[in-house]
Amino acid sequence: MDASWWDDAVVYQVYLRSFFDANGDGIGDLAGLRNQLPYLSALGVDAVWLNPCYTSPQRDHGYDIADYLTVDPSYGTMDDFRALVADAHESGIRVLMDMVANHCSDQHAWFVEALASAPGSPSRERFLFRDGRGAGGELPPNNWQSVFGGPAWSRVTEADGSAGQWYFHAFDPGQPDFNWRNPDVADYFDEVLRFWYSLGVDGFRIDVAHGHFKQVELNDWPGAEDDSGGHNYDMWDQPEVHEIYRRWRALGAEGPGEEKYLVGEIWVPSLERLAAYLAPDELHAAFSFELLVQPWDAARMARAVRLSLDQAKRTGTRQAWTLANHDVHRPATRYGQQQLLEDALPTDMIAAARRTGEADLDLGVRRATAAAMLQLALPGSVYLYQGEELGLPEVLDLPDDARQDPIWLRSAGAELGRDGCRVPMPWEADAQSFGFSPAGAAAPWLPQPPVFSELAVDQQDGVAGSTLSRFREAIRTRRDHFDPDAELAWLDSGHAELLAFTRGASACVVNFGDTDLALPTSWSAELVLASAPISVGGDVLAIPANSAAWLRIDRVAAASAGPVQADGVHQDSPFPLLESTAP
Ligand code: BGC
């Protein structure tokens, strides 16, 4: 396999709306990101992934696209976009965009046209319109539920004012699903991809990449109404979806320039199903969510690493590790919450990664930094979510009237949704909106909590031992310590709570316990980097509680790379966590 830039890249996810506001409207923008490229260079990242910045009514903050060929005016102009790509490339940073092709916005020209057209017309064929059930068509065509809550169908009013057909939306009613069995749709997206590639974009993160096709007959799924029917296999992961990725893979290799990169957000119930997306002529990578959904537990984390690496080996691909994104609670909060191991095998990622409740943030940040060092030591690429490098917490106490996530709105407040991980970044402790916007600007689109002051970039920049400094050093030196091609071998430290492995001449150890743990003296380990203060001296190197260290080791008895057993871990399914889909 030839090496590609993405094999071991560190990709920084930019939630543009919340990164940096250059024009003072309280919303992050392209010019703001461009201003802060030096920050990203100093962090040492290889690429950015931009959450959708296309023209959108922002019902789901850009995951509802009205025009795929322009940027949203609130983010800037096409010239801003071109300038951003040029400067990023100049700084050696590649640019990935987000391709949302399962659905568009209800304000997309095609959907507007479909609504104005008669049932059965070609315009409606680009979406999933169906007649309702019941005498007057007053019931949805089937019992499927949307990911954001409530029925996955909405009824339209026909041009003559009568109650009409229903259309399918896997997410919000403002996000109608395309009918990918209609050839117009595939042709359209070829054009969209080519357009952004022609502007220098280096690849795409593919949103709900297991979506796109639904089972042809759209039959009821038993138990779908109250979620008692388990994963709805008819709504996701249909065999035809692979055709899209074969097409896009070929398109991305057309040139000019280097091959374009495709990484999928895929939630399927087994590794075998996931592997199908990673065939040599489909996606280059799929996010590995296994670490993200684990509690702070050595055996669980080790098992997640092992399963993910087994899968990578089988498919001949590299893992795309991640601990955070714009859909889940931030790691500093998750790891600072009481660990409920009995709840650690949820049926979906929401339960694992969107728990509420008290958090000890000092402990959470300490563990999150250690977890970051763990993933940065693993073979493959790493996706960091903006603010992770500052140790930002989830903002769980946003005022109700500030919340905007459709999950919050559609559940009538029963679920907090995802606003708490999307709060604008703090850059300067003493500036208005912590430096997110210029002086005199509008208030940030989501209010920032007081704790952001002490976590602001200017409080951590150049400060030894700050979270930012630790992330920078780990990102910038990982390739010096861990050769991208070096395989992982597990080490037995004699402590159940100490996860340890080597890759080449370096080792990574993570102490998941609450007491310091001494490494075996036979390891002759020399400390390279640590996620927390560590005292070196004497014969014994002890790894502090809740921390990670990178070591250089001369002599080591590498343990077998056999299965890691953990009490209570399901052994029957390799992917117990992926029972259902989630945004
Ligand atoms: C994205 C979410 C989005 C959903 C619908 C997800 O997978 O990451 O943020 O709400 O897709 O597009």
Side-chain angles (χ1 to χ4, degrees):
M1 185 169 69
D2 293 339
S4 307
W5 69 263
W6 52 77
D7 285 345
D8 69 336
V10 174
V11 182
Y12 186 93
Q13 181 189 348
V14 177
Y15 199 75
L16 198 60
R17 202 174 176 76
S18 300
F19 189 64
F20 192 85
D21 168 24
N23 70 356
D25 62 358
I27 296 174
D29 43 44
L30 293 162
L33 171 56
R34 190 172 162 222
N35 287 350
Q36 293 298 351
L37 284 172
Y39 172 77
L40 297 180
S41 289
L43 193 57
V45 306
D46 303 296
V48 287
W49 147 33
L50 303 184
N51 283 103
C53 56
Y54 318 89
T55 300
S56 159
Q58 309 290 340
R59 277 278 285 270
D60 187 20
H61 294 324
Y63 285 93
D64 49 326
I65 301 172
D67 181 356
Y68 286 80
L69 302 180
T70 53
V71 293
D72 194 88
S74 63
Y75 295 139
T77 63
M78 288 305 287
D79 280 344
D80 292 328
F81 186 84
R82 285 191 191 90
L84 169 68
V85 173
D87 284 7
H89 285 170
E90 184 76 18
S91 316
I93 296 176
R94 290 187 168 80
V95 179
L96 305 179
M97 290 184 86
D98 207 317
M99 184 40 57
V100 188
N102 176 69
H103 48 266
C104 57
S105 156
D106 59 358
Q107 295 183 30
H108 189 281
W110 278 8
F111 193 73
V112 173
E113 183 186 312
L115 285 188
S117 308
S121 62
S123 311
R124 289 214 172 172
E125 278 306 303
R126 293 169 174 155
F127 297 92
L128 296 167
F129 279 90
R130 293 289 183 278
D131 293 334
R133 298 195 282 196
E138 70 282 3
L139 298 172
N142 73 18
N143 67 350
W144 297 4
Q145 300 296 298
S146 94
V147 174
F148 290 163
W153 296 90
S154 290
R155 194 169 194 187
V156 305
T157 303
E158 300 297 353
D160 64 4
S162 62
Q165 285 195 301
W166 297 70
Y167 68 91
F168 180 80
H169 49 86
F171 295 89
D172 189 77
Q175 295 167 300
D177 280 44
F178 285 111
N179 171 18
W180 269 88
R181 293 194 175 83
N182 182 316
D184 286 2
V185 176
D187 290 345
Y188 176 65
F189 277 98
D190 284 357
E191 232 180 89
V192 172
L193 261 56
R194 284 204 179 95
F195 174 77
W196 293 103
Y197 290 154
S198 76
L199 296 181
V201 167
D202 299 289
F204 285 96
R205 174 258 190 192
I206 301 165
D207 190 53
V208 286
H210 56 302
H212 303 77
F213 282 88
K214 285 86 205 163
Q215 192 266 349
V216 181
E217 277 108 31
L218 297 171
N219 294 325
D220 274 351
W221 183 261
E225 302 89 336
D226 60 3
D227 212 19
S228 61
H231 182 80
N232 181 345
Y233 285 90
D234 286 349
M235 189 159 147
W236 308 102
D237 193 30
Q238 297 299 298
E240 298 98 315
V241 77
H242 297 284
E243 201 45 58
I244 304 178
Y245 305 125
R246 288 192 275 272
R247 188 166 171 143
W248 289 2
R249 177 76 175 250
L251 192 153
E254 272 171 6
E258 64 184 6
E259 182 173 359
K260 310 302 180 198
Y261 169 62
L262 300 172
V263 55
E265 181 214 19
I266 301 170
W267 293 92
V268 285
S270 77
L271 282 171
E272 286 66 34
R273 281 174 170 248
L274 187 64
Y277 292 79
L278 299 170
D281 58 350
E282 295 196 34
L283 304 181
H284 299 96
F287 289 113
S288 176
F289 291 119
E290 281 285 286
L291 287 186
L292 190 156
V293 293
Q294 301 304 328
W296 184 253
D297 179 76
R300 295 266 162 85
M301 285 284 201
R303 183 171 182 275
V305 169
R306 182 176 61 77
L307 291 175
S308 303
L309 290 179
D310 284 354
Q311 193 242 16
K313 204 169 242 173
R314 276 206 302 275
T315 53
T317 58
R318 304 279 181 143
Q319 285 302 311
W321 305 103
T322 183
L323 293 168
N325 61 41
H326 64 294
D327 290 330
V328 297
H329 285 184
R330 286 190 174 274
T333 295
R334 296 200 318 259
Y335 296 136
Q337 285 168 328
Q338 201 196 345
Q339 295 293 299
L340 299 173
L341 290 186
E342 67 278 13
D343 283 357
L345 292 174
T347 53
D348 63 42
M349 85 189 266
I350 296 177
R354 292 199 203 139
R355 282 201 300 119
T356 52
E358 290 284 295
D360 172 344
L361 287 184
D362 289 338
L363 179 64
V365 173
R366 186 179 166 103
R367 288 175 169 174
T369 311
M373 276 186 66
L374 164 63
Q375 65 169 355
L376 286 164
L378 292 171
S381 57
V382 173
Y383 282 72
L384 299 175
Y385 177 51
Q386 71 181 37
E388 205 179 335
E389 76 281 13
L390 302 176
L392 295 188
E394 183 74 12
V395 185
L396 292 169
D397 58 355
L398 284 169
D400 287 0
D401 59 0
R403 292 189 179 275
Q404 307 191 10
D405 187 349
I407 294 181
W408 162 263
L409 300 172
R410 276 179 70 82
S411 71
E415 282 184 49
L416 289 187
R418 304 160 295 176
D419 293 310
C421 64
R422 301 173 175 181
V423 174
M425 284 269 286
W427 295 91
E428 286 174 67
D430 295 328
Q432 176 187 330
S433 62
F434 303 127
F436 168 66
S437 300
W445 72 278
L446 282 175
Q448 300 156 300
V451 70
F452 272 28
S453 163
E454 67 203 60
L455 298 171
V457 172
D458 71 341
Q459 299 301 294
Q460 303 201 38
D461 192 7
V463 176
S466 70
T467 307
L468 178 60
S469 298
R470 293 192 195 283
F471 267 76
R472 268 190 192 151
E473 201 170 349
I475 294 167
R476 297 188 70 81
T477 60
R478 67 195 272 266
R479 286 191 191 102
D480 302 339
H481 304 305
F482 300 100
D483 176 341
D485 293 323
E487 290 218 11
L488 179 149
W490 294 103
L491 296 173
D492 184 357
S493 67
H495 303 291
E497 289 178 316
L498 197 79
L499 176 153
F501 59 83
T502 56
R503 284 184 59 218
S506 295
C508 173
V509 293
V510 188
N511 181 353
F512 285 84
D514 288 329
T515 56
D516 298 2
L517 294 174
L519 298 181
T521 43
S522 62
W523 284 15
S524 308
E526 187 194 320
L527 181 70
V528 171
L529 197 67
S531 68
I534 186 166
S535 52
V536 189
D539 295 340
V540 180
L541 185 61
I543 307 302
N546 298 302
S547 78
W550 290 354
L551 313 167
R552 191 150 283 274
I553 42 184
D554 297 330
R555 226 159 4 94
V556 107
S560 82
V564 176
Q565 300 291 334
D567 287 341
V569 171
H570 289 198
Q571 298 294 339
D572 45 352
S573 156
F575 245 44
L577 302 171
L578 302 187
E579 285 295 318
S580 73
T581 52

